[in-house]
């Protein structure tokens, strides 16, 4: 067992960290304030190869291993939780759907454009009445000539209003439950009937637009179906398993930012004629925060390792995401506490870390649903 990062992994971490410190951290408060999609930063990340990190170079990806991808994603989220979601939804969800289930033509046409950052990707699974209960979805894709006519709507779609390629799940056989779900590539610019209803005004995760989408008699050609009819549910679950490693990474990045900020503040802030970092109560908080972040990082790397070796990693990815998201919120909470009253204001980023951390406990499987998954896996072992 080797816990040392390879030369390439260290290089990725340092390159992304430098970019984040120079370009993202100075912009993070503004992104949080305006909630605008930071297209210029995305272009810069594309130039660095950060929009297709885990995909092969033959599709213009960066060809990184999953550890490096998770390290890179954590660094991006250290700068901005919203940017972390933009890259995670684009890469782990939309990109992975294409990479795992697309045919050669689909990969060449659409995955390549995602990897270069020319296109932005989104993953449209959830609906107003179908969040955790995916098979309850009501969006339909009905056979129509050489393609399908889609009707329905999706809710909470990260990147949904800015995406060029949306991986969409719809029922091709409404009576067949989870076996009646299929997936498609939607091109909002080309497909009449694709409507962005609006974007959510959220607690945090600013800069990543979370959109409500509607499909009115939207016709899409058969060549844009991913895999066979009826495979969509299993494709979604497999994609979300991999995605959970990146949400663990996003959580680790935000927690690391909260810890770094709290540590600096504790060393500077004086009360009773000494730095508050001299008080054992504060030291213990910092010790617990660091221990939790490191434990989350190890779970993230273990899941990444299993995924890369082609072994089953459902339980480990769920555990990494569950633990990392919960400690991220806890660490950010302690970060506010260490800042005292200042932590409750927008003068310091501590409160932003808390708002951004919370989301990871909700999307790509809520903590409750992940506990169900872990227990099921455990009892089946
Ligand atoms: C900012 C944001 C971005 C998102 N991005 C995307 C995206 O890009 N693509 C996409 O498809 N979706 C996205 N989602 C949707 C997200 O995945 C869902 O919100 C999530 O799956 C939960 O579904 P729900 O909100 O309908 O909650 P519900 O499923 O209604 O759950 C409500 C509560 O009940 C609990 N619960 C539900 N079922 C069970 C059960 N069986 N056992 C125990 N407890 C249960 C839940 O844990 C939760 O506490 C996003 C959501 C948000 C907030």
């Amino acid at each position: 067992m080797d816990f040392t990062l390879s030369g390439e992994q260290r290089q990725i971490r340092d390159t992304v960290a430098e970019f984040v410190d120079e370009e993202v951290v100075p912009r993070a408060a503004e992104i949080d304030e305006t909630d605008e999609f930071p297209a210029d930063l995305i272009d810069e990340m594309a130039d660095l190869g950060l929009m297709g990190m885990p995909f092969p170079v033959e599709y213009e990806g960066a060809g990184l291993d999953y550890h490096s991808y998770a390290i890179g994603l954590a660094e991006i989220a250290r700068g901005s939780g919203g940017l972390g979601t933009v890259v995670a939804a684009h890469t782990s969800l939309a990109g992975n759907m294409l990479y795992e289930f697309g045919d050669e033509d689909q990969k060449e046409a659409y995955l390549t454009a995602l990897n270069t950052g020319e296109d932005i990707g989104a993953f449209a699974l959830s609906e107003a009445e179908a969040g955790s209960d995916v098979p309850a979805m009501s969006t339909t894709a009905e056979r129509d000539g050489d393609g399908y006519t889609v009707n329905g709507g999706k809710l909470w779609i990260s990147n949904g209003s800015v995406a060029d390629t949306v991986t969409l799940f719809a029922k091709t056989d409404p009576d067949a439950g989870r076996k009646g779900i299929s997936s498609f590539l939607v091109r909002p610019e080309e497909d009449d009937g694709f409507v962005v209803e609006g974007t959510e005004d959220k607690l945090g995760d600013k800069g990543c637009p979370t959109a409500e989408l509607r499909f009115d008699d939207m016709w899409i050609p058969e060549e844009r179906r991913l895999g066979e009819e009826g495979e969509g549910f299993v494709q979604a679950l497999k994609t979300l398993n991999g995605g959970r490693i990146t949400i663990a990474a996003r959580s680790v990045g935000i927690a690391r930012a909260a810890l770094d900020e709290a540590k600096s503040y504790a060393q500077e802030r004086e009360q009773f004629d000494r730095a508050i970092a001299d008080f054992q109560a504060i030291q213990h908080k910092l010790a617990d925060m660091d221990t939790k972040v490191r434990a989350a990082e190890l779970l993230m790397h273990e899941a990444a390792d299993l995924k890369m070796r082609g072994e089953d990693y459902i339980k480990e990815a769920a555990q990494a995401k569950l633990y990392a998201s919960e400690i991220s919120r806890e660490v950010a909470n302690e970060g506010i506490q260490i800042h005292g009253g200042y932590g409750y204001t927008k003068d310091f980023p501590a409160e932003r870390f808390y708002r951004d951390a919370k989301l990871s406990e909700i999307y790509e499987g809520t903590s409750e649903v992940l506990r169900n998954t872990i227990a099921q896996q455990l009892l089946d072992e």
Side-chain angles (χ1 to χ4, degrees), residues 280-297:
Q280 195 180 45
I282 300 295
Q283 290 174 5
H284 284 187
K285 284 189 195 301
L286 292 169
D288 286 347
M289 289 158 82
D290 189 53
T291 306
K292 287 175 179 176
V293 176
R294 296 196 58 243
E297 241 168 342

Side-chain angles (χ1 to χ4, degrees), residues 54 66 69-70 73 84-85 87-94 96-97 100 123 235-251 300 303 307 313-314 317-318 320-322 360 363-365 370:
Y66 229 74
Y69 171 39
L73 201 289
T85 302
V87 178
H90 168 90
T91 314
S92 305
L93 301 185
N96 245 333
M97 279 293 291
E100 293 292 338
F123 175 88
Q235 292 171 347
L237 289 193
K238 285 186 175 167
T239 304
L240 289 168
N241 281 338
R244 283 171 191 158
I245 300 174
T246 13
I247 301 306
R250 175 186 183 272
S251 309
M300 171 187 90
K307 176 173 166 55
Y313 66 100
I314 296 173
K321 196 262 195 190
L322 171 68
S360 296
Y363 62 1
E364 297 201 31
L370 292 184

Side-chain angles (χ1 to χ4, degrees), residues 68 97 109 116 121 136 138 170 213 222 256 268-269 286 294 308 341:
S68 303
M97 279 293 291
T116 58
S138 58
L213 308 176
E222 185 171 9
R256 176 65 63 197
E268 279 165 23
R269 171 72 173 170
L286 292 169
R294 296 196 58 243
M308 275 165 44

